[in-house]
Amino acid sequence: PGRVQIVGAAEMAWARRLGQKRIAHHLSEIFAAKPPALIVADGCTPPPILEALCRAHDVALFTTDRPSAEVIDRLRHHLSRVLAEREMRHGVLMDVLGLGVFITGDPGTGKSELALELISRGHGLVADDMVEFARISPTVLEGRCLPLMQNYLEVRGLGLRDIRTIFGATALRRRMRLRLIVQLRRLLPGEPPPPRLEASSMACSWPGGMAWPWAGAWRVASTRPSAAMMVAEITEDSRSTPRAMLSSAAWLKEKMP
């Protein structure tokens, strides 16, 4: 129920070998499921009985010269994006070494400053402040920028920066698949700084049984089906933050399938 029906040359050839009663029986089952539309592919001509049933059940009928396999692939890709579950999240989405990295945290933790530093090193900006995430498949989250904030990055003390004007169009990305979630937070008063972790001292599980270590002052908080979550402890001297994140992203890019 609710599925678009695709009819191609193979289905037409199979139907021609059946009697009228069997064809009518199968078509009645299809239309009983109330499909939103029916597409006749491979350049085939819809038979009169099919056109009559579409009119009777108020079902849209389309024809195309494209192969049925191509129509199915394109429809699946298009509908997975249009009908995807969506959610808004506060943070900055970046393209770091080809990986979608979502930087989040409380206000004032340096998310935009870190993003600006990464952009100056040749990485790309997808969205700042509010990121729209869509689940385009069971294990894939894709983030993109809202139209109002495209090309802009708001940096505390500097205001809105037009990234396209400053760094050019190559510093911007339309969308990225989420691979890494970085949560920034400041140390509480009196809280000791986190120890520097050796590359082999901590590992994070990844779908498929892969395990990989974190570099620098990063701690694993949890894991997700389509991304890994890590927490960066931000102190007054945050110059090591970009280096630590870049080294982790480089390691992840090397080991991921």
Side-chain angles (χ1 to χ4, degrees):
R3 294 185 177 181
V4 177
Q5 299 295 316
I6 313 295
V7 178
E11 290 79 13
M12 287 294 188
W14 173 78
R16 283 193 290 268
R17 296 196 297 266
L18 302 178
Q20 291 295 326
K21 289 185 178 180
R22 291 191 63 185
I23 293 176
H25 171 72
H26 289 302
L27 288 176
S28 63
E29 289 184 340
I30 291 175
F31 284 95
K34 299 181 179 180
L38 196 146
I39 302 176
V40 179
D42 295 318
C44 298
T45 301
I49 185 175
L50 190 61
E51 294 181 0
L53 286 172
C54 285
R55 292 193 188 96
H57 291 84
D58 196 23
V59 174
L61 177 63
F62 301 93
T63 61
T64 176
D65 294 333
R66 297 287 185 179
S68 56
E70 180 183 344
V71 173
I72 292 173
D73 288 340
R74 292 197 176 194
L75 274 178
R76 182 184 294 114
H77 178 75
H78 176 71
L79 293 177
S80 66
R81 295 180 180 276
V82 173
L83 304 178
E85 176 187 359
R86 300 179 184 274
E87 186 172 330
M88 304 298 299
R89 289 287 180 173
H90 175 67
V92 185
L93 182 61
M94 298 286 301
D95 172 8
V96 180
L97 301 176
L99 302 177
V101 179
F102 181 54
I103 306 171
T104 185
D106 294 331
T109 51
K111 299 183 295 295
S112 297
E113 291 82 352
L114 175 58
L116 186 60
E117 176 67 22
L118 291 171
I119 294 171
S120 68
R121 299 186 184 197
H123 304 283
L125 172 69
V126 181
D128 178 46
D129 193 32
M130 294 301 295
V131 184
E132 182 185 60
F133 286 103
R135 186 179 295 278
I136 60 175
S137 79
T139 59
V140 176
L141 296 177
E142 185 179 79
R144 61 185 305 166
C145 183
L146 296 176
L148 185 63
M149 289 296 294
Q150 282 182 354
N151 306 338
Y152 290 100
L153 177 72
E154 184 177 8
V155 182
R156 188 178 298 272
L158 298 178
L160 282 175
R161 304 284 92 180
D162 190 336
I163 300 302
R164 180 183 291 271
T165 300
I166 300 173
F167 296 97
T170 57
L172 298 169
R173 308 289 188 271
R174 291 185 59 190
R175 61 176 67 92
M176 286 296 295
R177 292 189 176 187
L178 182 63
R179 293 292 191 180
L180 218 56
I181 303 173
V182 181
Q183 183 176 351
L184 308 182
R185 75 175 182 88
R186 292 192 180 277
L187 294 177
L188 298 175
E191 184 179 358
R196 299 290 294 184
L197 302 179
E198 299 295 336
S200 60
S201 62
M202 186 171 290
C204 172
S205 60
W206 189 266
M210 186 183 73
W212 55 285
W214 295 108
W218 302 89
R219 278 195 320 200
V220 176
S222 61
T223 57
R224 295 286 188 270
S226 58
M229 170 78 81
M230 60 184 177
V231 178
E233 308 290 359
I234 301 302
T235 61
E236 292 182 0
D237 180 13
S238 59
R239 290 173 297 176
S240 64
T241 301
R243 291 197 301 269
M245 193 175 75
L246 286 173
S247 61
S248 297
W251 206 102
L252 176 61
K253 183 179 180 179
E254 179 184 352
K255 297 299 180 182
M256 281 178 52

